[in-house]
Amino acid sequence: MRYAYAITSALLLGGATATLALQPGTAQVAQNEPGAIQAAAPKAGAPMSFADMVAKLQPAVVNISTKQTIVQQQQANPFAGTPFGDLFGGGQGQNGAPVKREGASLGSGFLISPDGYVVTNAHVIRPGARGATVNSITVTLTDKKEYIARVIGQDQASDLALLKIDATNLPFVRFGDSSRARVGDWVVAIGEPFGLGGTVTAGIISAINRVTGQGGAYDRFIQTDASINQGNSGGPMFDLNGNVIGINSQIFSQSGGNIGIGFAIPAEQAKPIIDTFMKGGKIARGYIGVGIGGPVDDDAAAALGIPKNQGELISRVEPAGPAAKAGLRAGDVVTKVNGQAVTPDQTLSYLVSNVKPGSTARLDVIRNNQSQVLNITVATRPSEEQLAATVNGGDDAGGFGGDDDDATGGSDGAVVPTSGNALGLNVQPLTPGIARAVGVDAAVQGVVIATVDPASDANGKLKRGDVIQAINGTPVRTSADVGRVVAQAKSAGRPQVLLLVQRGRNAPGFLAVKLKG
């Protein structure tokens, strides 16, 4: 079961308010006034029991298990070859040789055809640990018959997979229309939590189009309070008509157990992908080659003088990528993609990923408080493995981290205070020698921090050796550049500025720093 921890704090308020056009002399009544709510009460035919429906649906839900081999590299035994060798780490792997062990995983799935096509989550059939390989996938039906499955298609970004077993005349279910699902509708989940036999839970839809903060083309989920636990992954979520409107995928939990917050991939997103797999096709998504520094929050909005929660900041532009060729820069704020607003509930990543590769995306951009339009020819998004290997040189670390580094100064450049020292920083130009000393890539440009005023807002946020690439979206290369941009911000009455900062080999990030008077 995949865990969703980065839940956005933005509330989905669409449809929560209504404008009432009152006729003269008509008094407004309470929403739950006796008689006013009858039209919204459960319709006739809502079940007193789900038993009949479950009896029809459960045979189409399957258990999915994998057998895996995990290879772990052992540390060499420093006592090997001595009388103490058997006491300290003796045995297999004592000389640092790889050790193999068996592993397994359990999940759920469901049949979508009588000839054995099975839908599940991609993470159910993927290796469960570093160094693991999947040797076999077994599908077990409710009658305990077991079949070895082969993978027809899988996609990590959408977390979907299609399997095939060799059988006929199997019970199966169909996808429904999840776009008609409403908050408050009853749903039923069937799966194999914790490896138990078929388990049925019921609840309501708690939210639709829920953004969990993972980004990408499929960060839209149906949220439910129906109990979903480890092992439910890949199982179906049914509406009261018995249609599959979601594929149970994630839970939000600090303990690993159900707390009433589960997520399902909507059928309207899943079905086109599964259909593509069945036709032997591959999934292609849009890609423009940028790093996203996050939404325009209160700090960023105050620094840039633009409305909050409108647009996202660009922290990095891939050299020679589609965005770079179109002129997009680090520090730009993208507010729209093809006319669709970029918001916390409709992210830049989501919008770009859903643009067809090869087509042109029109991006509305704010740069230096000026609006402009860039047309970008969208490329095909690389695989998640390729992205992980190329971004930041394969380093998984993000944000600001690493050890303190005092390697600045010397003969590579004089330390020059910023104009008026409103930032509380002393900076100097970033030269190739200093770049090597502070551990940043040779392609990074900016100014490097030499000292931080303990009485400034920058103290505790920034440190010696950090590289400032841009301020309020304007690239800075000298202390004079810094002074000029800070002066412009002060003259505009802004209480703070937004810095694009690089620390070592970590991903660049944005920091708001208050200006001194």
Side-chain angles (χ1 to χ4, degrees):
M1 172 59 65
R2 188 185 275 183
Y3 294 88
Y5 288 107
I7 304 298
T8 178
S9 60
L11 296 177
L12 299 178
L13 298 179
T17 59
T19 301
L20 300 177
L22 301 179
Q23 298 297 323
T26 301
Q28 185 173 349
V29 299
Q31 296 297 102
N32 58 349
E33 188 76 17
I37 203 72
Q38 288 179 357
K43 297 178 180 179
M48 296 298 293
S49 169
F50 299 107
D52 290 340
M53 184 177 79
V54 170
K56 294 287 291 184
L57 300 176
Q58 196 162 24
V61 182
V62 302
N63 170 272
I64 297 175
S65 60
T66 68
K67 291 183 179 179
Q68 305 184 16
T69 299
I70 303 172
V71 179
Q72 291 183 320
Q73 186 70 38
Q74 302 296 303
Q75 292 185 350
N77 178 9
F79 298 98
T82 72
F84 302 101
D86 291 336
L87 295 175
F88 298 97
Q92 186 179 18
Q94 63 179 338
N95 294 317
V99 173
K100 291 185 178 180
R101 61 184 179 87
E102 297 301 314
S105 68
L106 290 172
S108 306
F110 56 99
L111 289 153
I112 59 168
S113 71
D115 58 345
Y117 282 97
V118 179
V119 174
T120 187
N121 285 144
H123 76 263
V124 168
I125 61 168
R126 291 178 66 84
R130 186 184 297 274
T133 56
V134 176
N135 301 320
S136 65
I137 303 171
T138 300
V139 171
T140 304
L141 307 186
T142 53
D143 61 6
K144 305 305 179 183
K145 290 183 179 179
E146 296 184 353
Y147 299 87
I148 298 299
R150 64 182 186 273
V151 179
I152 302 300
Q154 60 176 310
D155 177 53
Q156 185 177 353
S158 62
D159 195 23
L160 291 169
L162 180 66
L163 310 178
K164 179 69 169 65
I165 60 175
D166 293 327
T168 57
N169 297 319
L170 297 172
F172 67 97
V173 290
R174 302 184 187 277
F175 282 108
D177 184 2
S178 61
S179 67
R180 301 179 64 181
R182 302 173 62 197
V183 174
D185 282 350
W186 278 104
V187 290
V188 174
I190 304 179
E192 305 271 340
F194 301 111
L196 299 172
T199 298
V200 180
T201 57
I204 63 169
I205 293 177
S206 304
I208 56 175
N209 296 328
R210 176 66 83 203
V211 176
T212 63
Q214 301 170 79
Y218 304 104
D219 193 10
R220 291 290 187 279
F221 293 91
I222 299 172
Q223 180 182 328
T224 181
D225 68 347
S227 293
I228 295 175
N229 289 287
Q230 296 181 57
N232 271 114
S233 283
M237 171 187 285
F238 295 102
D239 63 17
L240 290 193
N241 293 317
N243 296 312
V244 179
I245 62 169
I247 301 171
N248 301 318
S249 174
Q250 304 180 32
I251 60 175
F252 176 70
S253 174
Q254 289 90 359
S255 64
N258 172 65
I259 60 171
I261 303 178
F263 301 97
I265 302 168
E268 61 184 308
Q269 292 182 2
K271 189 176 186 303
I273 295 172
I274 298 303
D275 289 345
T276 299
F277 288 156
M278 294 189 73
K279 296 174 183 176
K282 294 184 177 180
I283 308 302
R285 302 179 185 84
Y287 177 76
I288 61 174
V290 297
I292 300 174
V296 179
D297 57 14
D298 290 338
D299 287 338
L304 301 176
I306 60 178
K308 68 177 181 179
N309 295 329
Q310 295 184 27
E312 290 188 0
L313 292 151
I314 301 299
S315 63
R316 177 185 56 82
V317 178
E318 179 183 309
K325 292 177 181 178
L328 195 66
R329 301 177 188 172
D332 287 348
V333 177
V334 180
T335 59
K336 291 182 180 179
V337 177
N338 289 337
Q340 297 186 70
V342 177
T343 68
D345 297 330
Q346 186 168 256
T347 64
L348 176 61
S349 176
Y350 174 82
L351 292 172
V352 169
S353 294
N354 282 292
V355 176
K356 184 179 179 180
S359 62
T360 300
R362 171 192 163 114
L363 269 62
D364 287 35
V365 176
I366 297 177
R367 178 184 298 165
N368 297 330
N369 244 34
Q370 300 294 319
S371 298
Q372 55 183 287
V373 174
L374 298 177
N375 292 310
I376 299 179
T377 301
V378 177
T380 300
R381 181 178 177 85
S383 69
E384 301 304 310
E385 291 82 359
Q386 290 174 312
L387 290 174
T390 56
V391 176
N392 300 319
D395 187 351
D396 290 332
F400 299 102
D403 297 327
D404 201 1
D405 196 331
D406 291 327
T408 57
S411 60
D412 289 310
V415 177
V416 181
T418 59
S419 176
N421 211 18
L423 279 175
L425 301 173
N426 287 332
V427 301
Q428 64 187 107
L430 180 66
T431 65
I434 294 178
R436 288 192 299 271
V438 300
V440 300
D441 189 89
V444 174
Q445 294 182 303
V447 294
V448 63
I449 296 173
T451 62
V452 181
D453 183 352
S456 68
D457 183 56
N459 185 45
K461 296 180 178 180
L462 297 165
K463 63 182 182 180
R464 179 179 172 88
D466 287 345
V467 176
I468 302 173
Q469 296 181 275
I471 302 177
N472 284 358
T474 300
V476 291
R477 304 291 179 261
T478 66
S479 60
D481 292 340
V482 174
R484 182 176 62 256
V485 177
V486 170
Q488 291 172 350
K490 291 188 71 175
S491 65
R494 295 176 194 160
Q496 56 195 16
V497 292
L498 192 68
L499 310 182
L500 177 60
V501 181
Q502 177 81 41
R503 177 172 295 171
R505 296 284 177 174
N506 296 307
F510 289 96
L511 281 175
V513 176
K514 295 178 182 178
L515 300 176
K516 299 171 68 176

